[in-house]
Amino acid sequence: MNEFIAKDGNKYYIDLYDGKDITVYDSNMSRVGSVTLMHVNEDDWQLPSYFYLQHLELDRCKRLGIGTEIFRLHNEIFGEPITAASEFGPRMDDGSHLIDDGVPFVAKMREKGLICAESGDEEFMDEDY
């Protein structure tokens, strides 16, 4: 678990587990958020592997820098690109389409280079990781 002091001055813990199921706890070890990523092509050495954002639930800890820290840590530890649905993409059967606060949050993470373009996009394929 990774300890993080958020913008509110409180201590939070980020459990990256296997890189796919990420959980955020407050100082009382109560769950306050989670992120789910799908590891794509992890068993196929012939294709580049990456993580795809499937679920983002950080409402109870938003605007505290925790989401940024999650993706920064993930990139540092796992070293593979993270992608997300397009801002204007279709509604996805798996629920991974961006809604509400997820749209500007993912845009901000893309600006910071923590989430890259969608898989298959030329920009994604040109990223250096």
Side-chain angles (χ1 to χ4, degrees), residues 10-128:
N10 292 318
K11 190 181 300 184
Y12 293 86
Y13 297 93
I14 300 169
D15 183 2
L16 294 170
Y17 185 57
D18 59 0
K20 297 185 268 190
D21 298 304
I22 302 162
T23 307
V24 179
Y25 301 95
D26 64 14
S27 60
N28 297 319
M29 297 311 290
S30 296
R31 183 185 168 282
V32 294
S34 67
V35 174
T36 304
L37 302 171
M38 176 176 53
H39 199 183
V40 180
N41 298 332
E42 68 181 313
D43 295 325
D44 188 345
W45 60 271
Q46 295 177 327
L47 296 172
S49 62
Y50 59 94
F51 288 89
Y52 177 75
L53 177 61
Q54 285 189 300
H55 182 74
L56 182 65
E57 181 201 329
L58 299 174
D59 291 344
R60 293 178 54 202
C61 56
K62 64 182 173 183
R63 292 183 178 66
L64 297 176
I66 295 170
T68 301
E69 182 66 3
I70 286 170
F71 291 105
R72 186 196 70 74
L73 278 170
H74 194 282
N75 281 309
E76 179 181 297
I77 293 168
F78 296 97
E80 293 182 16
I82 300 170
T83 66
S86 170
E87 179 178 346
F88 304 105
R91 185 169 190 83
M92 306 294 285
D93 290 338
D94 66 1
S96 65
H97 50 280
L98 299 176
I99 60 169
D100 304 327
D101 289 339
V103 174
F105 175 76
V106 168
K108 189 173 189 177
M109 295 302 100
R110 284 182 170 141
E111 286 175 18
K112 292 181 178 214
L114 299 173
I115 294 178
C116 61
E118 294 175 74
S119 63
D121 284 355
E122 190 172 309
E123 179 184 338
F124 171 74
M125 299 313 279
D126 290 341
E127 291 288 337
D128 294 323

